[in-house]
């Protein structure tokens, strides 16, 4: 599992998406429309993470290995990246 290359690829793609969403939001005056655009971005973000992980052969369901052995929660990489369900 190459998490570093995954992270680098994700950062690059998210920077591109960030620029796009900033431009799009600047053209919208309605608060509700802005929330809808942000919701779409959030879904694209989640799908992008899953797609890149799949392309790189990274299983997001693998338990995240913490350096703290006293840490009691057993979270997967997906839960760490996308947030706990």
């Amino acid at each position: 599992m190459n998490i570093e290359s995954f992270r680098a690829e994700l950062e690059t793609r998210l920077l591109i998406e960030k620029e796009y969403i900033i431009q799009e939001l600047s053209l919208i005056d309605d608060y509700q429309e802005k929330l809808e655009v942000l919701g779409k971005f959030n879904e694209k973000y989640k799908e992008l993470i899953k797609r890149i992980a799949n392309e790189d052969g990274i299983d997001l369901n693998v338990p995240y290995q913490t350096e703290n052995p006293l840490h009691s929660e057993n979270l997967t990489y997906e839960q760490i990246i996308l947030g706990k369900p």
Side-chain angles (χ1 to χ4, degrees):
M1 180 179 303
N2 189 347
I3 295 296
E4 284 305 311
S5 68
F6 174 73
R7 182 193 58 76
E9 177 73 16
L10 186 59
E11 280 181 3
T12 301
R13 292 189 188 199
L14 286 176
L15 283 174
I16 293 167
E17 285 293 325
K18 178 184 167 187
E19 291 302 315
Y20 169 76
I21 199 164
I22 288 171
Q23 288 177 342
E24 189 171 345
L25 289 175
S26 70
L27 301 173
I28 300 171
D29 292 328
D30 182 60
Y31 182 73
Q32 187 63 39
E33 273 187 74
K34 286 185 179 190
L35 287 176
E36 290 173 14
V37 168
L38 289 172
K40 288 178 188 176
F41 173 76
N42 190 37
E43 288 305 312
K44 282 176 82 173
Y45 169 75
K46 289 177 183 180
E47 290 304 315
L48 178 63
I49 289 171
K50 292 175 184 178
R51 186 169 49 96
I52 294 172
N54 188 39
E55 289 171 2
D56 288 349
I58 296 172
D59 183 0
L60 295 176
N61 294 312
V62 171
Y64 176 74
Q65 300 297 316
T66 180
E67 293 178 8
N68 182 357
L70 301 176
H71 195 265
S72 62
E73 285 186 277
N74 293 320
L75 301 175
T76 65
Y77 278 97
E78 183 174 24
Q79 290 171 314
I80 295 293
I81 295 168
L82 300 176
K84 289 191 250 180

